[in-house]
Amino acid sequence: MGLLAIGTPLVWPEAKKNADQVRRWGIEQLLAIWRRAKGKERDVLLWGDEIEYLVVAFDDKRRKVKLSLRQADILEALAKDEGLNKQGGCVPDLQTVVRHGETLPVFHPEFGRFMLEATPGKPWGIGFKDLLDVEPNMKWRSVNLPLTLQGLQLTAMLRRLIAKDHMDSNEYPITLTTFPRLGTKDDYIYPYFPPSGEKLRSQFLPDEIANPHIRFPTLAANIRSRRGRKVEINVPVFQDEHTASPFKDPTVDYDLYKWPEDDDVRNGAAKDNHIYMDAMAFGMGSCCLQITFQAKNITEGRRLYDQLSPLGPIMLALTAATPIYKGFLAETDVRWNQISRAVDDRTPEELGEKPLKHDRWRIPKSRYASNSTYISQDPRLRKEYMDPDLVIDQDLKQRLMDGGMDDLLATHFAHLFIRDPIVIFAEDLKELDLSKTDHFENLQSTNWQHMRFKPPPHDKDTGWRVEFRPMEIQITDFENAAFAIFIVLITRAILSFDLNFYIPIPRTTENMETAHARNAVLDQKFYFRKDPFPPRPVKGSGASGATTPALVSRPPTPVGPIEDEYALMSINEIINGQADGFPGLVPLVESYLNSVNVDVETRCELARYLGLIQKRASGQLWTGARWIRKFVRDHPDYRKDSVVDETICYDLVKAVQEVTDRNGNGGGLGGEMFKARDLD
């Protein structure tokens, strides 16, 4: 979610004047962290998941569903719950949270006033029993729970139960990526506010849809001001039998003259055959599943950052769950590019639309994008894997290297710091405090790449961390637990077997685009490394207990054409393996589990989660996107024109609620996502 500081925010012209100072001070704070924590060691791997909920309100009599803007009321109810307070509390933004005994999950506000963020109250360990606590905790963060159910799934369930217990009776926390009719012309929010406020200046959304904390409206307004126009989001519409061709978004008002930016659509912002959106909230109002790992030390963290990076597009396609925008079926299945465009603050010069005159450089990607750097000092990292179009601030890189940072990591941060700080508080410009990280985090937290490398905070006993960010949120806690556990086990296999997933960064960038295609999980192929194993045997040992195996030797730097190292593969081949080629990610995880002491009961529980991953990749089980699309197209009110009307939306969200409550059990509705069956 980023920083929630309190102060006097600068409007963009004033913020721009102070951007260089914030960058310089941020680099000095980073160097202070580097000097203090570069030798920091942790004995065990810790990790945590982050789940975001949409809060919806049902009107069953009128068969309507709306987004509830009662985030603040729900958080306040959670904070005032005496029973929860006796257990330590669970809303750190409103109270002091004390951790003891069975720690409660923790709830935070998010960008949208219709959203809640939930995390476990304390990090998970690597123990296999911890993995089986995740699903129940997710549920606790938001329904009645079988007492025999264990694990991450149980934890997920508990989160949902707690959240639901502090909502109105007609409200429900769902885990859809986006609300199907966000931005339509009807009253899709409660309470209702008209669109086109001063901060967003959107044709479709009111300012009141965003969290009122001053950071959020300032972030939206300054992104718009910096780029000189509103953000421009165009998602290709799904062309069904009766969809108009060319499709011209019927919700766009070309005769609106309230704000200067209303000229955008008259200047071609809304593209034919696309669903048009014009505000940050269309992106940052999306939900996702993110996993953060604390590494044993900085070396291990850098290694995980690099090796998980090529997996990002694969997991994005495998978790696809976003086939609807603004009441229309889309030709895409995932959210990533829509969020990218929703926070794209690049000017016409930085985009290459105009010659460079006032700006320093052209920037190939939005600040919400796939990674552009590798950072591990791994001898297998070849210069040919690097991004040839990488833009960095050479002066800031030199300052980092003068301060003792190595070239690779200095390049990484010098790339992040080409961006301007968007939200600056006047009070923070008075003096530089090297015991804080506010200026560093100002830039770090607004570079939303699919991986994030996170230095230790100054005031906590926390290690170097890596955040895995590409996955779509899933409808059920079982699915969210499965994907979280799978990524955790992948990290164990990477470290245990010294796996090598390096491919050139431009190929990962291409893969991220490929992941957006409708049904990409089955119909597309992705660049992936053919042989992940080191060229000579390595032996794992218990140097850090069950957490991080140590290597006896490191493989040499590879030679030969890099094009020989990777190939196009289906997701089924990447996940389940090839007969005479890539072994498959799940078989690699199973090999790791075979190499450690796992009791039979735990292994059987883990097999349920891995089975979901395998069958999703093979097509035996459907993605959420495929199920949602099929639900809409089979609805009796659907006219095969790509329109998801209010009745279809109500029935869809009701179905999502039912599927959520069943959590993938018992077949029936949503069974295509959980129970293998012949494909139609």
Side-chain angles (χ1 to χ4, degrees), residues 530-533 573-578 581-588:
K530 293 188 285 188
D531 182 3
F533 296 112
E573 291 172 321
I574 294 169
I575 295 295
N576 293 317
Q578 299 170 317
F582 183 73
L585 296 178
V586 168
L588 286 169

Side-chain angles (χ1 to χ4, degrees), residues 237-284:
V237 72
F238 172 70
Q239 289 286 346
D240 212 335
E241 293 178 27
H242 301 149
T243 306
S245 183
F247 173 86
K248 294 181 180 293
D249 190 332
T251 66
V252 176
D253 185 352
Y254 290 90
D255 297 317
L256 189 64
Y257 290 89
K258 185 173 183 179
W259 305 105
E261 293 87 349
D262 291 332
D263 284 341
D264 289 357
V265 294
R266 289 182 285 275
N267 293 329
K271 310 299 184 187
D272 284 357
N273 299 316
H274 287 74
I275 307 157
Y276 171 69
M277 294 165 282
D278 65 352
M280 180 178 174
F282 281 111
M284 286 305 190

Side-chain angles (χ1 to χ4, degrees), residues 328-520:
F328 299 103
L329 285 174
E331 184 61 17
T332 57
D333 271 2
V334 300
R335 80 200 186 284
W336 190 267
N337 280 348
Q338 283 64 268
I339 307 179
S340 175
R341 294 164 186 145
V343 294
D344 191 351
D345 67 335
R346 289 176 295 170
T347 66
E349 291 181 21
E350 290 169 336
L351 286 164
E353 297 173 354
K354 295 181 178 180
L356 284 174
K357 182 177 180 181
H358 304 290
D359 295 309
R360 294 181 291 172
W361 36 56
R362 291 191 175 94
I363 302 177
K365 296 180 181 179
S366 166
R367 61 198 303 154
Y368 195 113
S370 58
N371 285 14
S372 295
T373 57
Y374 286 131
I375 63 174
S376 177
Q377 294 174 305
D378 188 328
R380 300 171 299 186
L381 175 56
R382 305 175 63 177
K383 63 179 177 24
E384 294 93 339
Y385 300 155
M386 299 304 198
D387 188 347
D389 300 320
L390 187 70
V391 179
I392 65 170
D393 188 315
Q394 291 287 356
D395 292 338
L396 296 183
K397 176 182 176 180
Q398 189 61 52
R399 175 67 190 108
L400 290 170
M401 295 183 68
D402 291 345
M405 190 175 290
D406 61 90
D407 182 88
L408 273 174
L409 201 56
T411 297
H412 169 75
F413 286 114
H415 168 63
L416 300 186
F417 273 59
I418 66 172
R419 310 291 178 174
D420 280 336
I422 299 298
V423 180
I424 300 175
F425 293 103
E427 294 81 358
D428 295 336
L429 298 174
K430 295 178 180 179
E431 61 179 335
L432 172 60
D433 187 344
L434 293 180
S435 69
K436 295 182 178 180
T437 59
D438 51 343
H439 298 295
F440 167 70
E441 286 294 343
N442 195 329
L443 275 301
Q444 164 90 345
S445 68
T446 55
N447 272 276
W448 297 281
Q449 298 185 345
H450 84 272
M451 298 290 302
R452 182 178 281 161
F453 186 63
K454 305 173 75 170
H458 73 282
D459 58 347
K460 296 180 181 178
D461 184 25
T462 303
W464 294 88
R465 291 152 296 148
V466 174
E467 187 176 25
F468 189 76
R469 302 171 44 81
M471 292 190 291
E472 306 253 290
I473 197 72
Q474 304 295 285
I475 292 175
T476 68
D477 299 312
F478 171 67
E479 295 166 279
N480 287 315
F483 283 105
I485 288 170
F486 178 59
I487 292 299
V488 173
L489 292 175
I490 283 288
T491 67
R492 299 301 87 202
I494 288 170
L495 296 173
S496 182
F497 301 141
D498 197 24
L499 299 176
N500 176 9
F501 294 131
Y502 277 126
I503 60 172
I505 285 173
R507 299 291 84 77
T508 297
T509 302
E510 290 180 52
N511 282 347
M512 287 294 282
E513 293 300 314
T514 301
H516 285 73
R518 179 164 53 92
N519 208 32

Side-chain angles (χ1 to χ4, degrees), residues 581-635:
F582 183 73
L585 296 178
V586 168
L588 286 169
V589 164
E590 290 175 333
S591 294
Y592 164 70
L593 293 174
N594 290 337
S595 71
V596 294
N597 224 355
V598 185
D599 64 82
V600 173
E601 182 181 0
T602 300
R603 187 68 184 267
C604 289
E605 287 291 322
L606 293 175
R608 294 173 56 240
Y609 297 125
L610 295 178
L612 176 75
I613 307 298
Q614 289 183 292
K615 292 174 182 176
R616 179 76 62 86
S618 70
Q620 289 176 273
L621 299 180
W622 294 8
T623 63
R626 184 179 179 185
W627 179 78
I628 291 169
R629 191 182 300 276
K630 187 70 159 53
F631 184 96
V632 170
R633 298 189 74 200
D634 286 349
H635 195 282

Side-chain angles (χ1 to χ4, degrees), residues 1 48-52 110 117-119 141 288-290 467:
M1 180 182 59
D49 66 280
E50 176 185 315
I51 284 183
E52 294 159 340
E110 254 295 348
E117 175 189 304
T119 60
R141 289 179 237 173
C288 65
L289 170 65
Q290 296 172 178
E467 187 176 25

Side-chain angles (χ1 to χ4, degrees), residues 618-658:
S618 70
Q620 289 176 273
L621 299 180
W622 294 8
T623 63
R626 184 179 179 185
W627 179 78
I628 291 169
R629 191 182 300 276
K630 187 70 159 53
F631 184 96
V632 170
R633 298 189 74 200
D634 286 349
H635 195 282
D637 286 359
Y638 180 64
R639 300 178 180 178
K640 298 184 179 182
D641 56 359
S642 307
V643 175
V644 182
D645 66 20
E646 288 186 273
T647 300
I648 298 173
C649 180
Y650 170 84
D651 289 340
L652 172 61
V653 178
K654 270 292 186 182
V656 167
Q657 179 188 19
E658 180 180 337

